[in-house]
């Protein structure tokens, strides 16, 4: 559990640092509920995620996911971050179901 928290904090710090360096980046919006955590990213933040190739790293974090699921999540995060970054009117949304230390599902989407 401690490794998961450390990895999540390290990735969050990296993502925040990259996003802070992005032009016109705003702070990512985090919405926490009893059953899920939602992360909402602007196009600039999605661009930082894409350019920094952080999607592959974040995809490896869920400890309950199979290796194939982790790889798929990483590819999805990277692909959709690129899509969101290409449209200045888009928003990237990541929904983590269950606790951050052992999510049951992660959904990723782009709203234009």
């Amino acid at each position: 559990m401690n490794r998961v928290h450390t990895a999540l904090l390290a990735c969050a710090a990296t993502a925040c640092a990259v996003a802070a360096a992005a032009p016109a980046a705003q702070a990512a919006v985090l919405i926490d509920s009893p059953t899920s955590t939602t992360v909402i990213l602007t196009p600039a933040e999605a661009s930082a995620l894409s350019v920094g190739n952080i999607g592959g790293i974040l995809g490896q974090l869920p400890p309950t996911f199979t290796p194939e699921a982790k790889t798929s999540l990483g590819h999805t995060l990277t692909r959709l971050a690129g899509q969101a970054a290409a449209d200045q009117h888009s928003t990237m949304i990541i929904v983590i179901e269950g606790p951050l230390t052992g999510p049951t599902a992660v959904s990723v989407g782009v709203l234009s």
Side-chain angles (χ1 to χ4, degrees):
M1 289 285 186
N2 211 7
R3 282 186 6 195
V4 172
H5 286 291
T6 302
L8 284 172
L9 288 173
C11 281
T14 302
C16 288
V18 172
Q26 301 171 356
V29 176
L30 290 171
I31 302 169
D32 203 17
S33 79
T35 59
S36 66
T37 301
T38 301
V39 181
I40 302 172
L41 302 174
T42 65
E45 292 161 344
S47 177
L49 185 93
S50 177
V51 171
N53 201 18
I54 299 171
I57 296 167
L58 294 175
Q60 297 302 307
L61 292 178
T64 56
F65 285 20
T66 65
E68 295 81 11
K70 290 179 180 190
T71 299
S72 177
L73 177 58
H75 288 306
T76 300
L77 286 166
T78 300
R79 180 176 56 82
L80 292 180
Q83 180 182 335
D87 180 359
Q88 290 303 309
H89 302 288
S90 67
T91 302
M92 182 173 180
I93 299 174
I94 304 167
V95 179
I96 304 162
E97 300 289 338
L100 289 176
T101 56
T104 56
V106 177
S107 302
V108 184
V110 175
L111 299 176
S112 294

